[in-house]
C-alpha cells in the first residue's frame, strides 16, 4: 500500500461534492459525491456516504452506497451495510454477509487462468471468458 | 459450590433447579481466591469450566434436521435414532449413515448421510439421502441429496446425474456445469464454473473461486476467495432505495428481492421449509 506518510483526508457526512476528488493519500469519505474519486491511498467509504461515480483506488473499504465502478489495485472490502451497483475489479475481495451488490466482479486472487478448470467428467465451457470490465483505466467506462 | 443441598429425586424440577444453581455458581461463590490462585488450583491442561454450559449439555439433546425423502417436508428430531416418522406424510424414514467403498448398483434411500469414498463407483444405482459426500465416481445412476451434496477433490459426476438442495465444493475440487443450478446454499472451498441461483447463502472461502452468473440472496467472500462474473446479490435487509449509477456501464440485474433469511450450510435454521 502506498500512503503511509501522507495525512488522511476526511470528508464529513455533511459534505456534498460535485466533481472529481483526486488525492495521493488515504481518504475517508462520509458525504455525498457526484463524481469520481481517484486516490493512490486507502479509501474508506463510510456508512453514510453516497457516491455516484467511479472509484479508482489502491484499496477501499465500502460501508455506504456506491453507484459506479470500483477499481482497486489491491483490495476491495464490502462491509455488511454496503450497497454497490457497478463493476468491481481488484486483486483481493472481501464481502461481508448482508451486502447488496449488483454488477460484474473480476477478482481472482490466485491469478491463475480459470478457463480450463473443469473437472474431466464435468461439462466444460460453462462460462466463457469475461470481456474486460468497463471502468478500468483505459476501458470504456472511464472518462 | 454454591449449594450443599442435594436432589434426592432427579425429576424435571430438580434438573432445572440444578441447572439454575450451576449457572449462578460464580456469582454466589464465597471464595475469595484471586484469579491467579484459581488457575493454580486447576489441574494443568483441564479445560476451563464455564458456568451453566456443562449442565445445559446434559439436559438438551442434540437436534438433527431431517428432510423426508417421501414428501420433502423438513423437520427436526432430538437425539440420535435409527428411524423416525415424517410428521407430515407419516412415512417411516431410515436415518442410518452409509459408506460406499466399491462398485454400487443398487438403490439406497436414507434420511441420513451417504459417503461415497474415493474407491466408490456408482453404476446404475440410485442414492437418495439427506446429505451425500462424493469422493468417488458416478458413472451412471443418480444422486439425490435432499440437503447437501458435497463434491470432493477427486469426485466425478456428470451434471445430469445429480440433484441437490445445497452444494458444497470441497478444497481443491474444480467443477464446471452447463446446467443452471437452483440451490439454497452454495459453499465454495474449491472452484465452480456455473450459472447459479441461490435463495440462501453463497459462501466463498479462501481458496474458493466462482465463475459464471450468480443470483443470490446473500453472499460472503472471505479474503482469498475469487469471484468473476455477473453478480446480483440483493439482501432483503438492505433492499431500499439505492442511488442509480450515472452511466450505463454497470450491469444491474432484474431479480426482485425475496423474503428470506440468511442461512449457512453449517448452521441451518431449526425448521427447514418443505422442498
Ligand atoms: Zn413426509
Amino acid at each position: 500500500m502506498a500512503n503511509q506518510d501522507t495525512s488522511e483526508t476526511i470528508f464529513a457526512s455533511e459534505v456534498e461534492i460535485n466533481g472529481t476528488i483526486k488525492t495521493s493519500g488515504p481518504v475517508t469519505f462520509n458525504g455525498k459525491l457526484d463524481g469520481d474519486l481517484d486516490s493512490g491511498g486507502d479509501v474508506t467509504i463510510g456508512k453514510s456516504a453516497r457516491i455516484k461515480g467511479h472509484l479508482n483506488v489502491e484499496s477501499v473499504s465500502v460501508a455506504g452506497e456506491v453507484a459506479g465502478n470500483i477499481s482497486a489495485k489491491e483490495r476491495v472490502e464490502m462491509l455488511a451495510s454496503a450497497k454497490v451497483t457497478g463493476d468491481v475489479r481488484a486483486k483481493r475481495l472481501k464481502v461481508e454477509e448482508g451486502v447488496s451488490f449488483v454488477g460484474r466482479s473480476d477478482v481472482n486472487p490466485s491469478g491463475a487462468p480459470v478457463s480450463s478448470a473443469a473437472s474431466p467428467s464435468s461439462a466444460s465451457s460453462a462460462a466463457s471468458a469475461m470481456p474486460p470490465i468497463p471502468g478500468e483505466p483505459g476501458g470504456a467506462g472511464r472518462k | 459450590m454454591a449449594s450443599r443441598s442435594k436432589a434426592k429425586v432427579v425429576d424435571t424440577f430438580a434438573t432445572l433447579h440444578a441447572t439454575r444453581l450451576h449457572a449462578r455458581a460464580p456469582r454466589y461463590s464465597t471464595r475469595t481466591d484471586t484469579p491467579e490462585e484459581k488457575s493454580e488450583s486447576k489441574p494443568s491442561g483441564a479445560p476451563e469450566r464455564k458456568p451453566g454450559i456443562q449442565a445445559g449439555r446434559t439436559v438438551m439433546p442434540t437436534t438433527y434436521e431431517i428432510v423426508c425423502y417421501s414428501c420433502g417436508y423438513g423437520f427436526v428430531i432430538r437425539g440420535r435414532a435409527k428411524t423416525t416418522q415424517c410428521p407430515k406424510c407419516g412415512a417411516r424414514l431410515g436415518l442410518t449413515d452409509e459408506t460406499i467403498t466399491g462398485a454400487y448398483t443398487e438403490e439406497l434411500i436414507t434420511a441420513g448421510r451417504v459417503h461415497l469414498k474415493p474407491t466408490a463407483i456408482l453404476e446404475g444405482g440410485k442414492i437418495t439421502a439427506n446429505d451425500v459426500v462424493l469422493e468417488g465416481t458416478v458413472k451412471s445412476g443418480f444422486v439425490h441429496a435432499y440437503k447437501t451434496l458435497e463434491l470432493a477433490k477427486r469426485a466425478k459426476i456428470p451434471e445430469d446425474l445429480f440433484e441437490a438442495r445445497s452444494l458444497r465444493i470441497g478444497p481443491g475440487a474444480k467443477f464446471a456445469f452447463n446446467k443452471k443450478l437452483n440451490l439454497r446454499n452454495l459453499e465454495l472451498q474449491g472452484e465452480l464454473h456455473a450459472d447459479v441461483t441461490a435463495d440462501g447463502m453463497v459462501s466463498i472461502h479462501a481458496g474458493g473461486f466462482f465463475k459464471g452468473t450468480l443470483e443470490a440472496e446473500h453472499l460472503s467472500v472471505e479474503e482469498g476467495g475469487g469471484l468473476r462474473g455477473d453478480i446480483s446479490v440483493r439482501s432483503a435487509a438492505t433492499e431500499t432505495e439505492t442511488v442509480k449509477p450515472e452511466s450505463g456501464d454497470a450491469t444491474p440485474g432484474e431479480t426482485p428481492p425475496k423474503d428470506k433469511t440468511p442461512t449457512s450450510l453449517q448452521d441451518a435454521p431449526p425448521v427447514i421449509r418443505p422442498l
Side-chain angles (χ1 to χ4, degrees), chain B residues 68 70-73 86 88-91:
Chain B
C68 172
S70 181
C71 70
Y73 182 71
C86 172
K88 192 178 181 192
C89 72

Side-chain angles (χ1 to χ4, degrees), chain A residues 34 51-54 65 67 69 75 80 83 85-87 92-109 114-115 117-119 121-130 134 141 143, chain B residues 155-159 174-178 191 193-194 201 209 211-212 218-235 238 240-247 249-253 262:
Chain A
D34 204 336
I51 297 178
K52 244 193 226 184
H54 307 311
E65 290 186 28
N69 299 334
R75 182 176 187 265
K83 292 174 195 171
T85 311
D87 300 340
R92 291 176 290 143
L93 174 70
K94 187 181 176 199
V95 179
E96 281 187 4
E97 185 185 338
V99 299
S100 182
F101 171 35
V102 179
R104 189 172 287 187
S105 167
D106 185 6
V107 179
N108 185 11
V114 292
S115 53
S119 147
S121 64
S122 313
S124 56
S125 72
S128 55
M130 230 175 77
K143 287 167 222 166
Chain B
K156 289 180 178 138
I157 185 166
E159 63 179 24
K174 294 179 180 178
F175 285 88
F177 299 120
N178 280 320
E191 206 169 309
H193 299 192
M201 181 77 190
F209 183 80
K211 184 184 173 189
H218 299 277
L219 170 70
S220 101
V221 182
E222 268 180 23
E223 182 130 11
L227 182 62
R228 179 175 281 181
D230 289 326
I231 314 299
S232 176
V233 177
R234 294 161 184 262
S235 293
T238 60
T240 52
E241 193 188 334
T242 307
V243 287
K244 298 281 181 286
E246 58 177 3
S247 58
D249 48 10
T251 53

